[in-house]
Amino acid sequence: HINIMKLIRKITLENTQDNHFKVWHGELYDNDDVITRWGAIHADVLQSKMFPKAGKDFLNKKEHEKLKKGYKPV
């Protein structure tokens, strides 16, 4: 039996300040896992990291950190 995680919230932010052209995605799943993905905006492959059981507060904290660095919602 395969356990399929349900996506609860997805955030996409971009930073184009000073010709950076970076993207950051944060995803929260129903089991409280958080997956982040980042890299160049038009890259074929993004780096990613899973934070098991990190939860909503962790995702919100990461989003706030990115907004402070100049990322904007897409």
Side-chain angles (χ1 to χ4, degrees), residues 38-74:
W38 66 93
I41 287 176
H42 297 293
D44 291 334
V45 178
L46 297 175
Q47 295 183 67
S48 66
K49 185 169 183 178
M50 176 184 259
F51 300 89
K53 306 294 182 204
K56 178 179 70 172
D57 290 341
F58 175 81
L59 180 61
N60 292 341
K61 177 183 168 196
K62 288 296 182 187
E63 177 185 25
H64 184 73
E65 288 174 3
K66 295 298 179 186
L67 292 171
K68 284 179 67 175
K69 289 183 176 181
Y71 283 74
K72 305 284 184 214
V74 178

Side-chain angles (χ1 to χ4, degrees), residues 1 3 7 11-12 18 23-24 29 32 35-37 41 43 48-50 53-55 57 60-61 67 72-73:
H1 178 258
N3 184 13
L7 181 64
I11 301 166
T12 300
D18 304 320
V23 65
W24 180 86
Y29 290 87
D32 276 339
I35 298 175
T36 60
R37 294 181 173 83
I41 287 176
S48 66
K49 185 169 183 178
M50 176 184 259
K53 306 294 182 204
D57 290 341
N60 292 341
K61 177 183 168 196
L67 292 171
K72 305 284 184 214

